Amino acid sequence: KKWEINLSIVSEFVFVGLSDAPEIRLLLFALFLLIYLASMAGNITLLVAISTDSHLHSPMYFFLSNLALLDLLCPTITVPKMLGALLLENRAISFMGCLFQHFSFIVVVGTEIFLLAVMAYDRYVAVCHPLRYLSIVSTKLCAQLAAGTWAAGLLNALLHTSLVFTLSFCGPNKIQQYYCDIPPVLALSCSPTRSRELVILAVAGVLGSSACVATLVSYIYILLEILSRNSPGIWQKAFSTCGSHLTVVCLFYGTTICTYVRPSSTYSPRLDRVVSMLYGMLTPLLNPIIYSLRNKEVKCALKRVISRVRSALTRQENLAQSPPSAG
């Protein structure tokens, strides 16, 4: 009797190009490279401002630095490979390379879902218990919450990756996406995927909805607190405290739900590439802009960072131009 072994015989996958026209590919390369570099610059600047400015050494900005780190990792996992495919037409990725890219991306997505829920709780304490804020959201609790979000993202990614990449891949190997995402990879398997799809949807649904409910409950309590106080300027103060986070939450959940929370039967390659780019490229670009434009403390910190950089450059120029001292 022959035993069937679930082994993948596909050694590499090939990403379907965004365009076959060389002129369009070059234009897309320039556009995506610009977006990627701007995203890197924005998030690195935000991280530098938070780490070097003592005014931003508070729980809110500790969580924001974690978000900026995730927004650095998210496009770095997928965009360089896409840029190489656009410029060099090297669209192939090894089976293990695809597995690692998929795993890393799901870690980032999962961690960000839980981190946004933690940040919502932080805003709830700041608005509803302002006098006890620092005692409730202590340094120890911040470290525990941050470690918990990364651990949850890691475990979630391990589960998803094991469910997807232990399937058999024995036929077509063209991924209808610019990175190794769950729906297009599942579509290539020659094994039955229905049961695993249901598990993936169930796990994603439970984890995603619990994080979403936690975020929603935090904002319901914030709203009730605002209505109960009914003091002048309370809406403006609450919006300045929560507006940036609420905008980021809407942007994140909007693009993520469109991408993942649905069965593969509704999968549309062309539409999904556009939606994935909204999440994978534009969200990391917009997050530091949203927090910079809507937050006076961040804007002041960025000005101080720029001022320090200019002073350092001026000193270097003066040293370079000054004549050497006589020995």
Side-chain angles (χ1 to χ4, degrees):
K1 183 180 178 180
K2 291 184 179 179
W3 294 90
E4 292 184 4
I5 302 174
N6 191 25
L7 288 176
S8 301
I9 60 171
V10 170
S11 61
E12 67 176 21
F13 294 103
V14 178
F15 297 119
V16 172
L18 297 174
S19 174
D20 292 324
E23 306 83 11
I24 300 296
R25 283 206 311 271
L26 195 59
L27 181 65
L28 290 174
F29 173 82
L31 175 63
F32 294 145
L33 178 62
L34 186 64
I35 292 173
Y36 177 62
L37 293 177
S39 176
M40 293 296 100
N43 285 290
I44 289 171
T45 304
L46 194 56
L47 278 171
V48 169
I50 292 170
S51 60
T52 59
D53 196 300
S54 59
H55 296 86
L56 302 184
H57 292 174
S58 67
M60 173 184 171
Y61 296 108
F62 170 74
F63 295 128
L64 181 56
S65 65
N66 278 265
L67 181 64
L69 179 59
L70 289 169
D71 286 339
L72 273 175
L73 293 173
C74 182
T76 302
I77 291 165
T78 59
V79 174
K81 184 66 182 175
M82 180 186 67
L83 293 175
L86 286 169
L87 190 64
L88 307 173
E89 295 190 59
N90 180 22
R91 300 176 184 175
I93 185 170
S94 67
F95 184 88
M96 290 306 297
C98 187
L99 185 152
F100 181 73
Q101 188 189 63
H102 174 275
F103 171 76
S104 304
F105 191 76
I106 298 299
V107 168
V108 170
V109 173
T111 303
E112 190 159 342
I113 288 173
F114 299 121
L115 182 64
L116 289 173
V118 168
M119 292 174 77
Y121 169 74
D122 172 72
R123 294 300 81 208
Y124 152 73
V125 178
V127 172
C128 299
H129 306 282
L131 298 178
R132 296 193 296 132
Y133 174 61
L134 292 177
S135 62
I136 295 173
V137 190
S138 62
T139 304
K140 183 181 178 181
L141 182 63
C142 285
Q144 289 172 340
L145 289 172
T149 60
W150 285 91
L154 183 67
L155 292 173
N156 178 53
L158 282 170
L159 176 62
H160 279 72
T161 305
S162 63
L163 286 170
V164 173
F165 284 88
T166 52
L167 292 166
S168 293
F169 298 90
C170 48
N173 68 339
K174 288 187 177 180
I175 296 177
Q176 299 287 333
Q177 185 57 282
Y178 71 94
Y179 66 98
C180 294
D181 199 10
I182 294 173
V185 173
L186 277 176
L188 297 178
S189 176
C190 51
S191 304
T193 61
R194 181 66 178 168
S195 59
R196 299 199 186 199
E197 274 189 61
L198 290 174
V199 173
I200 289 170
L201 281 171
V203 171
V206 169
L207 295 178
S209 60
S210 61
C212 185
V213 166
T215 304
L216 188 62
V217 168
S218 295
Y219 275 103
I220 289 172
Y221 274 106
I222 289 171
L223 180 62
L224 292 174
E225 180 69 18
I226 293 168
L227 293 173
S228 66
R229 289 186 192 176
N230 199 24
S231 57
I234 186 68
W235 285 100
Q236 187 178 355
K237 186 178 179 181
F239 187 74
S240 67
T241 305
C242 307
S244 298
H245 178 257
L246 197 55
T247 306
V248 169
V249 166
C250 293
L251 185 65
F252 176 85
Y253 276 106
T255 53
T256 306
I257 287 169
C258 288
T259 306
Y260 295 110
V261 187
R262 55 187 174 73
S264 62
S265 57
T266 62
Y267 176 67
S268 169
R270 188 178 296 274
L271 178 63
D272 278 45
R273 281 199 289 271
V274 175
V275 175
S276 296
M277 283 176 188
L278 287 176
Y279 169 74
M281 295 183 69
L282 287 184
T283 303
L285 172 68
L286 292 175
N287 283 353
I289 296 173
I290 290 167
Y291 272 98
S292 299
L293 291 178
R294 291 185 174 275
N295 192 301
K296 289 180 181 178
E297 289 179 323
V298 173
K299 281 194 282 189
C300 291
L302 290 175
K303 287 176 183 177
R304 286 190 288 269
V305 168
I306 293 168
S307 177
R308 284 198 295 269
V309 170
R310 283 178 178 173
S311 299
L313 290 173
T314 304
R315 282 197 301 270
Q316 289 291 331
E317 287 177 7
N318 291 338
L319 287 172
Q321 291 171 5
S322 61
S325 58

